[in-house]
Amino acid sequence: QHLDAFKALCAKSIGKARPQQAPPPALKGAGTNVAPAAKLAVSGTLKTDEMPLARITDGEADTADNRGRWLSGGKLPHWVEFAWDAPQTLALARIVSGYVSDGQPGDPIGDFVLQMHDGTEWKDIPGTTVKGNAKVDWHVAFPPVTARRVRLLITATKGNCSRLWEVELYAPAKK
């Protein structure tokens, strides 16, 4: 009887190492990921105790575990703001989003843009506007921008809930 229970647990991947979402090749040679050093603010959080805001920048993009994500709360649009004490220069972003169902990650955030605050208003960062995203692990390089505040503005997502495993914001490659 115990053997059958053990087999059932094994079938659910208990005891197997969870795969991390491998970083895309475009990140090779990128500068420092400055997102973990930012102060974070959001439009709203669902399940604050179970899925805290800190998950967005904890360096863990484990797409096999829904418990490792942050979930938005409230109505769209959702936003995540990154703020630093000193201006940061950024040139590449990576967003890992969605949820895992039947062992497969899917349903990433659909429509979004990265924006920078110029001291007066939010402005879209060129090359970061996305409509109809289908990539769980999305990334883009863009012309360097410098700002003390950057935000991810999400305007469409399945079920009107933004699910983020990780957001990484990189400085330009060091020469």
Side-chain angles (χ1 to χ4, degrees):
Q1 75 184 9
H2 296 296
L3 181 58
D4 290 337
F6 178 73
K7 287 179 181 177
L9 284 174
C10 288
K12 293 182 180 177
S13 299
I14 302 298
K16 292 182 182 177
R18 289 204 267 279
Q20 286 280 9
Q21 186 73 18
L27 295 182
K28 187 174 179 143
T32 303
N33 174 14
V34 298
K39 294 177 188 104
L40 300 177
V42 293
S43 53
T45 298
L46 184 65
K47 299 183 181 180
T48 305
D49 294 339
E50 294 175 42
M51 299 178 180
L53 179 59
R55 297 256 171 94
I56 294 173
T57 59
D58 66 2
E60 307 244 347
D62 183 356
T63 59
D65 186 357
N66 284 332
R67 295 170 298 176
R69 304 168 302 158
W70 168 82
L71 301 177
S72 66
K75 296 181 179 183
L76 287 166
H78 302 142
W79 53 263
V80 179
E81 182 179 331
F82 302 81
W84 299 271
D85 292 334
Q88 301 293 313
T89 300
L90 307 172
L92 192 138
R94 178 185 186 208
I95 300 169
V96 183
S97 67
Y99 64 93
V100 67
S101 178
D102 295 326
Q104 295 298 316
D107 295 321
I109 56 175
D111 297 356
F112 58 93
V113 64
L114 286 170
Q115 298 179 315
M116 59 182 274
H117 201 273
D118 68 2
T120 304
E121 63 184 342
W122 291 104
K123 294 189 175 183
D124 293 356
I125 296 174
T128 68
T129 300
V130 178
K131 300 283 185 198
N133 177 51
K135 295 178 181 177
V136 169
D137 192 337
W138 175 91
H139 63 279
V140 68
F142 47 86
V145 297
T146 301
R148 289 187 58 216
R149 295 168 55 201
V150 170
R151 77 174 173 184
L152 169 62
L153 180 66
I154 303 161
T155 55
T157 187
K158 184 171 183 174
N160 294 324
C161 180
S162 298
R163 302 161 181 94
L164 299 174
W165 273 292
E166 195 71 17
V167 176
E168 299 169 354
L169 302 168
Y170 290 90
K174 295 181 181 177
K175 298 189 184 212

